[in-house]
Amino acid sequence: MQEKQLQTLLDSLTWTEKVGQLIQLSGEFFNTEGMAVGPQQKLGISDEILANVGSVLNVTGAEKTKEIQERFLSQSTHKIPLLFMADIIYGYRTIFPIPLGLGATWNPELIESAYQVLGKEARSGGAHVTFAPMVDLVRDARWGRCLESTGEDPLLNSHFARSMVNGIQHQFDSMGIASCIKHFAAYGAAEAGREYNTVDMSERRLREDYLPSYQAGVDAGAKMVMTSFNTYDGMPVTGNEFLLKNVLRDEWGFDGVIISDYAAVKELIDHGVAKDNFEATTLAMQATNDIDMKSPCYATALLPLIKDGKIDEELVNQAVYRVLKLKNDLGLFEDATRGASAAKETELLLHDSHRQLAKQVSSEAMVLLENKNQLLPLTPNQDKVLLVGPYGDNQELIGLWAVHGKTQDTVSILSGLKNYLDDEHLSFEKGSDMLDSYDFLGEFGAPKEMIDSLKMTPEAQAEALEKAVTLGEKADVIIYALGEHTMQSGEAGSRTDLRLPDVQRRFLKKMIALGKKNILIAISGRPLILTEEQRQMDAIIAAWFPGTEGGSALADIIFGKVNPSGRLSMSFPYTVGQLPIYYNGFKTGRPATTSNHSGRFVSKYLDAPNEPLYPFGYGLSYHQSQLSELTLSETEMTDSLTISLEVSNLSQVAGTDTIQLYIQDVVGSVVRPVKELKQFKKITLAGHETKTISFTLTRDELRFYTKSMAFAAEPGEFLIFVENGQQQVTAKFDLI
Ligand code: GLC
């Protein structure tokens, strides 16, 4: 409908109808057997409100959403369609690698294509909005939601935020769906990496490191923003006027819908900033939070607050208008299904072109961490290969947040290897259980008998180990498919011991005694502590949860069809005691390597290095490139300068490098990071090819929040570092 008609529609609504638009409920309230009673009573939601709810959480499927929509509209006075919103984070039915792997591609253009597929498939399944991308910056691998982030750098995360929003909303009227960026803001800075824990930092750090990726998503036109569970500066974000109103709406000009995270409005009471639903509702509405996801606050408190004149009616009207506008932008008043149909699902879901794209993305996401003596790539049907480990013949490769994906669609590692090895050259034995205990699954509601059935009996363990040893003795190469359990990462997946599970490390120790060539495939939703394995293994590949085509992508890398190009977007710690660890920290007054103080009295640990095991930007390839001839267009910069260098491929193997440009502002009015990523370029080189590449660095890129909190560049000396993931070349210039 025409936008001017929206105001007329708004004016025609009763307050009950208006409040209903600001409430989102999950599927059980809309089950096909009529309205559920249990949860409704539990939340204290009236029939009138229920009949006017504005949106539905995590219900998808063309037929199911159509049926619910039609039944709902048949009872709706003003025929305002439901919004269907869902967690479609890194794929709908074709599942791409987890975003921490997508970050390691350093290829926003490729990821934009992947998210176009996400949007198309989700739309065919009846979704109108996806709660993606998650663009929280992460620095602490203990936090389970590293899985959903593209990593620890504000610039790299901003590139991906932009590309994911553009992908999801691509050809919005015909193909795309609405993107909801989350979790605004700074959720990834939870103290001690403990889920839902306090976040507190200076406004400078917030603006320098944590806000850029959200702003990039907003600037890309994201239609919605989701609040985060955490506090910022003592106020939970869902009631935080500084963040939601001053920054998001007034500073950035965001006029879209803000939705609370799950029950976060009610949790203002648990945080201790509201004593009841009325105070929680007031705080959230005053902060301009529009939709209350799955909490009883707006549903039970808004009408009485309005009736008693205790809340500004204009606030409510503005919130309702934004929701109606989103529905109108989606064209729901004209077509509430947006073309979703079972036929469309059949046509699009898991389309072969989508699978091929997922395989390409997966192979670009994997990071080769070790390759001693150039063990990899293997030659097909040359060595006798034994595949072992709980992830060897396991389709659980899509990760916790692939909510609408199906593991049975996934290509396992064993299936992938069979693309290159015949039965004579490939054997498999699980060899080890995944975990010593699955009891933690009880917290997710898994019944005890199911949990008990997951665990291998001691006899089965012993037999599996014996078989693995016997097969290992005959093998030339052993590939270990190991890692954390799917449910050990993702939301509510904070952990303090990030090494491989004990049972797997015991198994590994026994198998390594065979003295064979060993390759570790690490399946995880976060950086694991691989310090032991770094010493023990000949080759290590960080494969993440690699998605629907994970097994085939991995095999392409192992046998050299793909030359690995992934570079870490998050540091892998040497030990959990280093956390949080990230590359762009400050020098401190006693830098470990340049301080004048004596050995002990510098910024370091007694029992661990300062450096991570594998740093941000690191990764190996099958070729070796060399950086040289670093040249600056001038050594004094006013508005911009050009940095050029040669990149040479020293081997005959073609390969792709990610050339990374960093700076250091040597002296600032406040301390400045030892390194800041400013630009990056992926380049492909043929064997023994040399290319000259250049970057144009501008004055604007040198801006930061100065001592007075002005966002400006300050004259002075700057260092330049150009890296390819293994080598670094440096230069300096003066900004005048
Ligand atoms: C969850 C998550 C959020 C998700 C929402 C809806 O608690 O924090 O990322 O989108 O609830 O499922």
Side-chain angles (χ1 to χ4, degrees), residues 298-513:
Y298 285 16
T300 57
L302 256 183
L303 282 177
L305 285 167
I306 293 163
K307 183 166 162 289
D308 299 344
K310 291 183 176 174
I311 197 160
D312 178 355
E313 292 181 4
E314 199 38 37
L315 277 178
V316 181
N317 282 325
Q318 286 166 2
V320 177
Y321 185 83
R322 287 188 285 260
V323 174
L324 293 177
K325 183 178 180 304
L326 175 58
K327 294 185 177 185
N328 196 47
D329 288 351
L330 284 158
L332 295 183
F333 292 103
E334 288 73 39
D335 172 8
T337 64
R338 301 195 86 220
S341 69
K344 266 275 183 241
E345 287 175 315
T346 306
E347 175 199 342
L348 288 174
L349 301 189
L350 284 173
H351 188 279
D352 190 55
S353 63
H354 298 174
R355 276 189 173 273
Q356 290 310 309
L357 181 59
K359 184 161 84 164
Q360 179 188 351
V361 173
S362 189
S363 61
E364 286 203 28
M366 295 179 185
V367 183
L368 180 61
L369 298 175
E370 293 291 340
N371 191 23
K372 296 167 187 168
N373 309 314
Q374 297 299 307
L375 171 62
L376 290 174
L378 301 181
T379 303
N381 292 329
Q382 176 175 288
D383 294 314
K384 284 192 183 302
V385 175
L386 169 63
L387 172 65
V388 292
Y391 273 113
D393 186 19
N394 185 338
Q395 292 182 290
E396 288 283 355
L397 297 176
I398 57 178
L400 179 104
W401 269 113
V403 176
H404 306 280
K406 299 184 187 307
T407 52
Q408 63 262 31
D409 299 331
T410 305
V411 178
S412 70
I413 294 174
L414 179 61
S415 299
L417 294 180
K418 286 180 177 176
N419 293 336
Y420 289 90
L421 297 171
D422 58 27
D423 292 348
E424 188 194 332
H425 293 86
L426 173 62
S427 51
F428 166 72
E429 172 52 48
K430 182 178 176 184
S432 165
D433 209 342
M434 177 84 71
L435 300 173
D436 279 312
S437 165
Y438 295 84
D439 291 348
F440 79 107
L441 294 176
E443 296 170 350
F444 290 91
K448 185 165 180 352
E449 55 278 3
M450 192 277 261
I451 290 172
D452 294 343
S453 70
L454 289 173
K455 177 128 185 60
M456 289 171 75
T457 63
E459 297 74 22
Q461 281 262 35
E463 185 186 352
L465 174 61
E466 187 181 343
K467 281 182 182 174
V469 169
T470 304
L471 288 168
E473 283 162 346
K474 300 173 197 152
D476 302 311
V477 179
I478 303 176
I479 297 177
Y480 300 83
L482 308 176
E484 64 180 348
H485 188 281
T486 291
M487 304 300 277
Q488 285 186 300
S489 62
E491 183 172 1
S494 290
R495 298 198 295 121
T496 60
D497 183 349
L498 304 183
R499 297 172 300 172
L500 287 170
D502 289 350
V503 64
Q504 295 179 39
R505 287 169 47 240
R506 296 194 301 268
F507 169 69
L508 193 54
K509 192 172 181 180
K510 291 188 178 100
M511 292 297 289
I512 283 172

Side-chain angles (χ1 to χ4, degrees), residues 164-376:
M164 290 172 174
V165 169
N166 288 336
I168 290 165
Q169 299 188 162
H170 178 67
Q171 293 185 5
F172 187 71
D173 293 337
S174 58
M175 276 170 47
I177 61 174
S179 166
C180 174
I181 58 171
K182 68 185 183 184
H183 307 77
F184 187 76
Y187 180 23
E191 285 180 359
R194 197 181 83 217
E195 184 61 287
Y196 313 125
N197 202 7
T198 299
V199 168
D200 210 357
M201 64 180 74
S202 68
E203 184 178 339
R204 177 176 284 106
R205 167 157 287 190
L206 175 78
R207 289 182 178 278
E208 288 272 354
D209 299 330
Y210 286 87
L211 289 186
S213 52
Y214 305 108
Q215 185 162 15
V218 167
D219 291 349
K223 300 276 185 189
M224 188 181 284
V225 173
M226 181 187 292
T227 67
S228 54
F229 291 119
N230 54 282
T231 55
Y232 169 70
D233 193 20
M235 176 53 77
V237 171
T238 305
N240 192 311
E241 276 193 66
F242 166 71
L243 278 174
L244 301 188
K245 192 173 179 316
N246 301 2
V247 174
L248 183 55
R249 292 206 189 278
D250 297 347
E251 257 187 62
W252 297 357
F254 179 69
D255 61 359
V257 173
I258 299 176
I259 186 170
S260 74
D261 201 340
Y262 194 102
V265 176
K266 176 78 174 175
E267 289 170 12
L268 294 173
I269 299 170
D270 301 277
H271 275 288
V273 291
K275 71 175 179 357
D276 55 26
N277 288 0
F278 296 95
E279 288 193 1
T281 297
T282 304
L283 275 175
M285 283 305 293
Q286 283 173 343
T288 73
N289 177 76
D290 299 317
I291 296 178
D292 177 3
M293 181 197 291
K294 204 64 172 45
S295 109
C297 291
Y298 285 16
T300 57
L302 256 183
L303 282 177
L305 285 167
I306 293 163
K307 183 166 162 289
D308 299 344
K310 291 183 176 174
I311 197 160
D312 178 355
E313 292 181 4
E314 199 38 37
L315 277 178
V316 181
N317 282 325
Q318 286 166 2
V320 177
Y321 185 83
R322 287 188 285 260
V323 174
L324 293 177
K325 183 178 180 304
L326 175 58
K327 294 185 177 185
N328 196 47
D329 288 351
L330 284 158
L332 295 183
F333 292 103
E334 288 73 39
D335 172 8
T337 64
R338 301 195 86 220
S341 69
K344 266 275 183 241
E345 287 175 315
T346 306
E347 175 199 342
L348 288 174
L349 301 189
L350 284 173
H351 188 279
D352 190 55
S353 63
H354 298 174
R355 276 189 173 273
Q356 290 310 309
L357 181 59
K359 184 161 84 164
Q360 179 188 351
V361 173
S362 189
S363 61
E364 286 203 28
M366 295 179 185
V367 183
L368 180 61
L369 298 175
E370 293 291 340
N371 191 23
K372 296 167 187 168
N373 309 314
Q374 297 299 307
L375 171 62
L376 290 174

